[in-house]
Amino acid sequence: MNIGWYLAVSTIIFAIGAAGVLTKRNALVILLCLELMLNAANLALVAFSRMWGNGDGQIFAIIVMVVAACEVTVGLGLIVAIHRRGLVVDADELSELRG
Amino acid sequence: MTPLIFFIASIGAIAGAVGVIALRNPFYGVLSLVGHLLCLAALFLLLHAEFLAAAQVIVYAGGVMVLYVFVVAYVGGSGESLGASHGWLRILTPVFVGVLLLELMVATLGSGLKAIGTEGADIQASFGSPAEIGELLLTRFLFPFEVASLLLLVAAIGAVGLARRRSGFTVGDAPLDAAARSVSPPKGSGTMAEAAGDRPVFGGKVGDQ
């Protein structure tokens, strides 16, 4: 398959993830959609790595996976802490910081 | 054969992504994301990234998703309240996403790179194998590798600090620890005391039968 096909799939997945981050209110689902966007970027990196026949892109993708794992642990820790305080895990309700 | 696998995997990946944002219950969203990740691993295999595909399945679809499932089960996978308060966002989002999709398509497919229309450069059989990835990580990319390990350590400590039960946390007036101790295990939960017969089983004494 041509590399362009992989890039097209990666683009579509990234757009779906971006739509989810923008419209969803549940913080858990926002984290899931962030995963989608990171994975789309990973697919593009691996496709480019294959295109050049060079392993550097795959190393980049592995580092992205590490960063995604860190983001998930901290994000889920925050959600658990929010839940412990008796607050609703809703991105629209949690607006004390006026962000 | 390759186009068939590619189309099945990519349709699965896109369907999984749509499922994440279309399903109301976050639990089903997590399951949909697992399917998406598995299809993505198949795409990685087609791109000769064997080690990355294995890491994707084991670390992502295995480890990270288990974390998600636990948190969804803890927080409660209630359907989210769909507010109409941000009506303008609901109209603006499809426009923004459409523009983003178009722009990314132009940026990647229209970039003028000649190799995009090919199957990629000629590669050796060892491309993407654990041996080659490991060699790259420990020679050329040693510094990012070490920084990644430090990042993981910091994230682990941060998550423990965030989700830790505060010492002043109480239920009612009694400290939570004492409250937890005062609760006896539920009946019929298979404790050794039940088996010995000195505790009521299923609401009645063992000797009643």
Side-chain angles (χ1 to χ4, degrees), chain A residues 1-54:
Chain A
M1 293 301 294
N2 289 347
I3 300 298
W5 285 97
Y6 294 95
L7 295 177
V9 171
S10 137
T11 305
I12 293 169
I13 294 172
F14 188 89
I16 292 171
V21 170
L22 284 173
T23 53
K24 290 290 172 179
R25 296 175 64 190
N26 190 336
L28 261 170
V29 183
I30 290 177
L31 272 182
L32 286 178
C33 293
L34 273 177
E35 294 289 316
L36 282 182
M37 293 168 79
L38 285 166
N39 275 303
N42 262 355
L43 182 59
L45 284 171
V46 175
F48 280 125
S49 163
R50 176 73 185 80
M51 186 172 105
W52 296 115
N54 191 336

Short mmCIF file of all heavy atoms in Angstrom, two decimals, chain A residues 1-54:
data_model
loop_
_atom_site.label_atom_id
_atom_site.label_comp_id
_atom_site.label_asym_id
_atom_site.label_seq_id
_atom_site.Cartn_x
_atom_site.Cartn_y
_atom_site.Cartn_z
N MET A 1 0.85 -1.20 0.00
CA MET A 1 0.00 0.00 0.00
C MET A 1 0.88 1.25 0.00
O MET A 1 1.92 1.28 0.64
CB MET A 1 -0.88 0.02 1.25
CG MET A 1 -1.93 -1.07 1.29
SD MET A 1 -3.04 -1.01 -0.09
CE MET A 1 -3.88 0.52 0.21
N ASN A 2 0.40 2.28 -0.68
CA ASN A 2 1.16 3.53 -0.69
C ASN A 2 1.11 4.20 0.68
O ASN A 2 0.14 4.04 1.43
CB ASN A 2 0.55 4.49 -1.72
CG ASN A 2 0.83 4.01 -3.13
OD1 ASN A 2 1.66 3.13 -3.32
ND2 ASN A 2 0.15 4.58 -4.09
N ILE A 3 2.18 4.96 0.95
CA ILE A 3 2.27 5.62 2.25
C ILE A 3 1.13 6.62 2.42
O ILE A 3 0.63 6.83 3.53
CB ILE A 3 3.64 6.33 2.36
CG1 ILE A 3 4.77 5.31 2.24
CG2 ILE A 3 3.77 7.07 3.67
CD1 ILE A 3 4.81 4.28 3.29
N GLY A 4 0.69 7.23 1.31
CA GLY A 4 -0.38 8.22 1.39
C GLY A 4 -1.64 7.69 2.04
O GLY A 4 -2.32 8.42 2.76
N TRP A 5 -1.95 6.43 1.83
CA TRP A 5 -3.15 5.85 2.44
C TRP A 5 -3.06 5.88 3.95
O TRP A 5 -4.02 6.22 4.64
CB TRP A 5 -3.33 4.41 1.97
CG TRP A 5 -3.82 4.27 0.57
CD1 TRP A 5 -3.09 4.06 -0.55
CD2 TRP A 5 -5.18 4.37 0.14
NE1 TRP A 5 -3.90 4.00 -1.64
CE2 TRP A 5 -5.19 4.18 -1.25
CE3 TRP A 5 -6.40 4.59 0.80
CZ2 TRP A 5 -6.36 4.21 -2.00
CZ3 TRP A 5 -7.55 4.61 0.06
CH2 TRP A 5 -7.54 4.43 -1.32
N TYR A 6 -1.89 5.50 4.48
CA TYR A 6 -1.71 5.50 5.93
C TYR A 6 -1.86 6.91 6.49
O TYR A 6 -2.48 7.13 7.54
CB TYR A 6 -0.34 4.94 6.29
CG TYR A 6 -0.16 3.49 5.96
CD1 TYR A 6 0.43 3.09 4.77
CD2 TYR A 6 -0.60 2.50 6.83
CE1 TYR A 6 0.59 1.76 4.46
CE2 TYR A 6 -0.45 1.17 6.53
CZ TYR A 6 0.15 0.81 5.33
OH TYR A 6 0.29 -0.50 5.03
N LEU A 7 -1.29 7.88 5.74
CA LEU A 7 -1.39 9.26 6.22
C LEU A 7 -2.84 9.73 6.22
O LEU A 7 -3.27 10.46 7.12
CB LEU A 7 -0.53 10.17 5.35
CG LEU A 7 0.97 9.91 5.42
CD1 LEU A 7 1.71 10.81 4.47
CD2 LEU A 7 1.46 10.13 6.83
N ALA A 8 -3.61 9.29 5.21
CA ALA A 8 -5.02 9.69 5.17
C ALA A 8 -5.78 9.11 6.36
O ALA A 8 -6.56 9.82 7.02
CB ALA A 8 -5.65 9.21 3.86
N VAL A 9 -5.53 7.83 6.68
CA VAL A 9 -6.19 7.22 7.84
C VAL A 9 -5.81 7.97 9.11
O VAL A 9 -6.66 8.27 9.96
CB VAL A 9 -5.81 5.73 7.94
CG1 VAL A 9 -6.31 5.14 9.25
CG2 VAL A 9 -6.38 4.96 6.79
N SER A 10 -4.51 8.29 9.23
CA SER A 10 -4.05 9.00 10.42
C SER A 10 -4.73 10.36 10.55
O SER A 10 -5.14 10.78 11.64
CB SER A 10 -2.53 9.12 10.34
OG SER A 10 -2.10 10.39 10.72
N THR A 11 -4.89 11.05 9.41
CA THR A 11 -5.55 12.36 9.43
C THR A 11 -7.00 12.25 9.90
O THR A 11 -7.47 13.04 10.72
CB THR A 11 -5.51 12.96 8.02
OG1 THR A 11 -4.17 13.00 7.59
CG2 THR A 11 -6.10 14.33 7.99
N ILE A 12 -7.70 11.22 9.38
CA ILE A 12 -9.12 11.06 9.76
C ILE A 12 -9.23 10.78 11.25
O ILE A 12 -10.07 11.37 11.94
CB ILE A 12 -9.74 9.92 8.92
CG1 ILE A 12 -9.81 10.33 7.46
CG2 ILE A 12 -11.13 9.58 9.43
CD1 ILE A 12 -10.15 9.20 6.53
N ILE A 13 -8.36 9.90 11.76
CA ILE A 13 -8.43 9.56 13.19
C ILE A 13 -8.14 10.80 14.03
O ILE A 13 -8.79 11.06 15.05
CB ILE A 13 -7.46 8.42 13.53
CG1 ILE A 13 -7.90 7.13 12.84
CG2 ILE A 13 -7.42 8.16 15.03
CD1 ILE A 13 -6.92 6.01 12.95
N PHE A 14 -7.16 11.60 13.60
CA PHE A 14 -6.83 12.82 14.35
C PHE A 14 -8.02 13.77 14.40
O PHE A 14 -8.34 14.34 15.45
CB PHE A 14 -5.62 13.50 13.71
CG PHE A 14 -5.08 14.64 14.52
CD1 PHE A 14 -4.12 14.41 15.48
CD2 PHE A 14 -5.54 15.93 14.34
CE1 PHE A 14 -3.63 15.44 16.24
CE2 PHE A 14 -5.05 16.97 15.10
CZ PHE A 14 -4.10 16.72 16.05
N ALA A 15 -8.71 13.91 13.24
CA ALA A 15 -9.86 14.83 13.22
C ALA A 15 -10.98 14.32 14.12
O ALA A 15 -11.63 15.11 14.83
CB ALA A 15 -10.36 14.98 11.79
N ILE A 16 -11.19 12.99 14.14
CA ILE A 16 -12.23 12.44 15.02
C ILE A 16 -11.88 12.72 16.48
O ILE A 16 -12.73 13.13 17.28
CB ILE A 16 -12.38 10.93 14.77
CG1 ILE A 16 -12.96 10.67 13.37
CG2 ILE A 16 -13.29 10.29 15.81
CD1 ILE A 16 -12.94 9.21 12.97
N GLY A 17 -10.59 12.51 16.83
CA GLY A 17 -10.17 12.78 18.20
C GLY A 17 -10.35 14.24 18.57
O GLY A 17 -10.81 14.57 19.67
N ALA A 18 -10.02 15.15 17.62
CA ALA A 18 -10.16 16.58 17.91
C ALA A 18 -11.63 16.92 18.12
O ALA A 18 -11.97 17.70 19.03
CB ALA A 18 -9.59 17.39 16.75
N ALA A 19 -12.52 16.32 17.32
CA ALA A 19 -13.96 16.57 17.49
C ALA A 19 -14.41 16.12 18.87
O ALA A 19 -15.18 16.82 19.55
CB ALA A 19 -14.74 15.82 16.41
N GLY A 20 -13.90 14.96 19.32
CA GLY A 20 -14.28 14.47 20.64
C GLY A 20 -13.80 15.39 21.74
O GLY A 20 -14.55 15.70 22.68
N VAL A 21 -12.55 15.86 21.66
CA VAL A 21 -12.02 16.75 22.70
C VAL A 21 -12.86 18.03 22.78
O VAL A 21 -13.11 18.57 23.86
CB VAL A 21 -10.54 17.07 22.42
CG1 VAL A 21 -10.05 18.17 23.34
CG2 VAL A 21 -9.69 15.84 22.62
N LEU A 22 -13.31 18.52 21.62
CA LEU A 22 -14.06 19.77 21.62
C LEU A 22 -15.48 19.61 22.14
O LEU A 22 -16.00 20.51 22.81
CB LEU A 22 -14.11 20.34 20.20
CG LEU A 22 -12.82 20.99 19.71
CD1 LEU A 22 -12.95 21.33 18.26
CD2 LEU A 22 -12.53 22.22 20.51
N THR A 23 -16.13 18.49 21.84
CA THR A 23 -17.56 18.40 22.17
C THR A 23 -17.84 17.70 23.48
O THR A 23 -18.88 17.95 24.08
CB THR A 23 -18.32 17.65 21.06
OG1 THR A 23 -17.67 16.40 20.84
CG2 THR A 23 -18.35 18.44 19.78
N LYS A 24 -16.95 16.82 23.95
CA LYS A 24 -17.29 16.01 25.11
C LYS A 24 -17.16 16.82 26.39
O LYS A 24 -16.34 17.74 26.48
CB LYS A 24 -16.39 14.78 25.17
CG LYS A 24 -16.69 13.79 24.09
CD LYS A 24 -18.01 13.13 24.33
CE LYS A 24 -18.40 12.27 23.14
NZ LYS A 24 -19.67 11.61 23.35
N ARG A 25 -17.96 16.44 27.38
CA ARG A 25 -17.89 17.13 28.67
C ARG A 25 -17.33 16.26 29.77
O ARG A 25 -16.82 16.76 30.75
CB ARG A 25 -19.29 17.61 29.06
CG ARG A 25 -19.82 18.64 28.09
CD ARG A 25 -21.24 19.00 28.42
NE ARG A 25 -21.33 19.61 29.71
CZ ARG A 25 -22.49 19.85 30.32
NH1 ARG A 25 -23.60 19.50 29.74
NH2 ARG A 25 -22.52 20.43 31.49
N ASN A 26 -17.47 14.95 29.61
CA ASN A 26 -16.91 14.03 30.60
C ASN A 26 -15.39 14.01 30.46
O ASN A 26 -14.86 13.74 29.39
CB ASN A 26 -17.49 12.65 30.34
CG ASN A 26 -17.18 11.68 31.45
OD1 ASN A 26 -16.21 11.87 32.17
ND2 ASN A 26 -17.99 10.67 31.59
N ALA A 27 -14.68 14.30 31.58
CA ALA A 27 -13.22 14.39 31.51
C ALA A 27 -12.59 13.07 31.09
O ALA A 27 -11.56 13.05 30.41
CB ALA A 27 -12.68 14.84 32.85
N LEU A 28 -13.21 11.95 31.47
CA LEU A 28 -12.68 10.64 31.08
C LEU A 28 -12.71 10.48 29.57
O LEU A 28 -11.75 10.00 28.96
CB LEU A 28 -13.55 9.55 31.70
CG LEU A 28 -13.05 8.90 32.97
CD1 LEU A 28 -14.15 8.04 33.56
CD2 LEU A 28 -11.85 8.07 32.67
N VAL A 29 -13.82 10.88 28.94
CA VAL A 29 -13.94 10.72 27.49
C VAL A 29 -13.00 11.69 26.78
O VAL A 29 -12.46 11.36 25.72
CB VAL A 29 -15.41 10.92 27.07
CG1 VAL A 29 -15.57 10.68 25.59
CG2 VAL A 29 -16.29 9.97 27.83
N ILE A 30 -12.76 12.85 27.39
CA ILE A 30 -11.80 13.78 26.79
C ILE A 30 -10.41 13.14 26.77
O ILE A 30 -9.67 13.24 25.79
CB ILE A 30 -11.80 15.12 27.56
CG1 ILE A 30 -13.11 15.86 27.30
CG2 ILE A 30 -10.64 15.98 27.14
CD1 ILE A 30 -13.24 17.14 28.05
N LEU A 31 -10.06 12.44 27.86
CA LEU A 31 -8.77 11.75 27.89
C LEU A 31 -8.70 10.67 26.81
O LEU A 31 -7.68 10.48 26.16
CB LEU A 31 -8.55 11.12 29.26
CG LEU A 31 -7.89 11.98 30.32
CD1 LEU A 31 -7.73 11.17 31.59
CD2 LEU A 31 -6.55 12.47 29.87
N LEU A 32 -9.82 9.94 26.63
CA LEU A 32 -9.85 8.90 25.60
C LEU A 32 -9.62 9.52 24.22
O LEU A 32 -8.90 8.96 23.38
CB LEU A 32 -11.20 8.17 25.61
CG LEU A 32 -11.48 7.20 26.74
CD1 LEU A 32 -12.88 6.63 26.59
CD2 LEU A 32 -10.48 6.08 26.73
N CYS A 33 -10.24 10.67 23.98
CA CYS A 33 -10.09 11.31 22.67
C CYS A 33 -8.67 11.84 22.48
O CYS A 33 -8.15 11.84 21.35
CB CYS A 33 -11.10 12.43 22.51
SG CYS A 33 -12.78 11.82 22.44
N LEU A 34 -8.03 12.25 23.59
CA LEU A 34 -6.61 12.64 23.49
C LEU A 34 -5.76 11.45 23.06
O LEU A 34 -4.83 11.60 22.25
CB LEU A 34 -6.12 13.14 24.85
CG LEU A 34 -6.34 14.61 25.16
CD1 LEU A 34 -5.87 14.89 26.56
CD2 LEU A 34 -5.56 15.46 24.20
N GLU A 35 -6.11 10.27 23.59
CA GLU A 35 -5.40 9.06 23.17
C GLU A 35 -5.54 8.86 21.67
O GLU A 35 -4.59 8.47 20.99
CB GLU A 35 -5.99 7.85 23.88
CG GLU A 35 -5.78 7.83 25.35
CD GLU A 35 -4.35 7.57 25.67
OE1 GLU A 35 -3.77 6.68 25.05
OE2 GLU A 35 -3.82 8.27 26.53
N LEU A 36 -6.76 9.09 21.16
CA LEU A 36 -6.98 8.94 19.72
C LEU A 36 -6.05 9.85 18.93
O LEU A 36 -5.42 9.44 17.94
CB LEU A 36 -8.42 9.30 19.36
CG LEU A 36 -9.51 8.29 19.64
CD1 LEU A 36 -10.84 8.84 19.18
CD2 LEU A 36 -9.22 7.01 18.92
N MET A 37 -5.92 11.10 19.37
CA MET A 37 -5.08 12.05 18.64
C MET A 37 -3.61 11.62 18.69
O MET A 37 -2.90 11.67 17.69
CB MET A 37 -5.26 13.45 19.21
CG MET A 37 -6.64 14.02 18.97
SD MET A 37 -6.98 15.49 19.92
CE MET A 37 -6.15 16.71 18.95
N LEU A 38 -3.16 11.17 19.88
CA LEU A 38 -1.77 10.73 19.99
C LEU A 38 -1.51 9.52 19.11
O LEU A 38 -0.45 9.40 18.49
CB LEU A 38 -1.47 10.40 21.45
CG LEU A 38 -1.30 11.59 22.38
CD1 LEU A 38 -1.34 11.13 23.81
CD2 LEU A 38 0.01 12.27 22.12
N ASN A 39 -2.49 8.62 19.03
CA ASN A 39 -2.30 7.43 18.22
C ASN A 39 -2.29 7.77 16.74
O ASN A 39 -1.56 7.13 15.97
CB ASN A 39 -3.38 6.41 18.52
CG ASN A 39 -3.03 5.58 19.71
OD1 ASN A 39 -2.00 4.96 19.71
ND2 ASN A 39 -3.85 5.62 20.73
N ALA A 40 -3.09 8.75 16.34
CA ALA A 40 -3.07 9.18 14.95
C ALA A 40 -1.68 9.73 14.59
O ALA A 40 -1.12 9.41 13.54
CB ALA A 40 -4.14 10.23 14.72
N ALA A 41 -1.13 10.52 15.51
CA ALA A 41 0.22 11.05 15.28
C ALA A 41 1.24 9.92 15.20
O ALA A 41 2.15 9.94 14.37
CB ALA A 41 0.58 12.02 16.39
N ASN A 42 1.06 8.90 16.05
CA ASN A 42 1.96 7.75 16.02
C ASN A 42 1.92 7.06 14.67
O ASN A 42 2.95 6.66 14.14
CB ASN A 42 1.55 6.76 17.10
CG ASN A 42 2.38 6.90 18.34
OD1 ASN A 42 3.31 7.69 18.35
ND2 ASN A 42 2.04 6.16 19.35
N LEU A 43 0.70 6.89 14.13
CA LEU A 43 0.57 6.21 12.84
C LEU A 43 1.28 7.00 11.76
O LEU A 43 1.99 6.43 10.91
CB LEU A 43 -0.92 6.04 12.51
CG LEU A 43 -1.21 5.31 11.21
CD1 LEU A 43 -0.60 3.92 11.23
CD2 LEU A 43 -2.70 5.21 10.97
N ALA A 44 1.14 8.33 11.79
CA ALA A 44 1.82 9.16 10.80
C ALA A 44 3.34 9.03 10.94
O ALA A 44 4.06 8.91 9.95
CB ALA A 44 1.40 10.61 10.95
N LEU A 45 3.82 9.01 12.20
CA LEU A 45 5.27 8.88 12.42
C LEU A 45 5.80 7.57 11.88
O LEU A 45 6.85 7.52 11.22
CB LEU A 45 5.57 8.99 13.92
CG LEU A 45 5.51 10.38 14.53
CD1 LEU A 45 5.59 10.27 16.03
CD2 LEU A 45 6.65 11.21 14.01
N VAL A 46 5.06 6.48 12.14
CA VAL A 46 5.52 5.17 11.67
C VAL A 46 5.46 5.10 10.15
O VAL A 46 6.34 4.52 9.50
CB VAL A 46 4.68 4.06 12.33
CG1 VAL A 46 5.06 2.71 11.77
CG2 VAL A 46 4.89 4.06 13.81
N ALA A 47 4.42 5.74 9.55
CA ALA A 47 4.32 5.74 8.09
C ALA A 47 5.50 6.49 7.48
O ALA A 47 6.10 6.02 6.50
CB ALA A 47 3.00 6.38 7.67
N PHE A 48 5.86 7.63 8.08
CA PHE A 48 7.02 8.38 7.55
C PHE A 48 8.31 7.60 7.76
O PHE A 48 9.21 7.64 6.91
CB PHE A 48 7.10 9.75 8.20
CG PHE A 48 6.16 10.75 7.62
CD1 PHE A 48 5.27 11.44 8.42
CD2 PHE A 48 6.14 11.01 6.26
CE1 PHE A 48 4.39 12.36 7.88
CE2 PHE A 48 5.27 11.92 5.72
CZ PHE A 48 4.40 12.60 6.52
N SER A 49 8.39 6.90 8.90
CA SER A 49 9.57 6.07 9.15
C SER A 49 9.72 5.01 8.06
O SER A 49 10.82 4.77 7.56
CB SER A 49 9.42 5.43 10.53
OG SER A 49 10.29 4.36 10.67
N ARG A 50 8.59 4.40 7.67
CA ARG A 50 8.63 3.41 6.60
C ARG A 50 8.98 4.06 5.27
O ARG A 50 9.69 3.49 4.44
CB ARG A 50 7.26 2.73 6.52
CG ARG A 50 7.07 1.74 5.39
CD ARG A 50 7.84 0.47 5.66
NE ARG A 50 7.77 -0.45 4.53
CZ ARG A 50 8.51 -0.35 3.44
NH1 ARG A 50 9.38 0.63 3.33
NH2 ARG A 50 8.41 -1.21 2.46
N MET A 51 8.50 5.30 5.10
CA MET A 51 8.72 5.98 3.83
C MET A 51 10.22 6.22 3.60
O MET A 51 10.72 6.01 2.49
CB MET A 51 7.98 7.31 3.84
CG MET A 51 8.01 8.08 2.55
SD MET A 51 6.90 9.48 2.68
CE MET A 51 8.06 10.79 2.86
N TRP A 52 10.93 6.62 4.64
CA TRP A 52 12.36 6.88 4.50
C TRP A 52 13.19 5.65 4.73
O TRP A 52 14.41 5.70 4.56
CB TRP A 52 12.80 7.98 5.47
CG TRP A 52 12.17 9.30 5.22
CD1 TRP A 52 11.31 9.95 6.05
CD2 TRP A 52 12.30 10.13 4.07
NE1 TRP A 52 10.89 11.12 5.48
CE2 TRP A 52 11.49 11.26 4.27
CE3 TRP A 52 13.03 10.02 2.89
CZ2 TRP A 52 11.38 12.28 3.33
CZ3 TRP A 52 12.92 11.03 1.95
CH2 TRP A 52 12.10 12.15 2.18
N GLY A 53 12.59 4.56 5.17
CA GLY A 53 13.37 3.38 5.49
C GLY A 53 14.33 3.59 6.64
O GLY A 53 15.42 3.04 6.69
N ASN A 54 13.89 4.41 7.61
CA ASN A 54 14.75 4.84 8.71
C ASN A 54 14.01 4.59 10.03
O ASN A 54 12.82 4.87 10.12
CB ASN A 54 15.04 6.33 8.51
CG ASN A 54 16.11 6.83 9.42
OD1 ASN A 54 16.34 6.25 10.47
ND2 ASN A 54 16.77 7.90 9.03
#
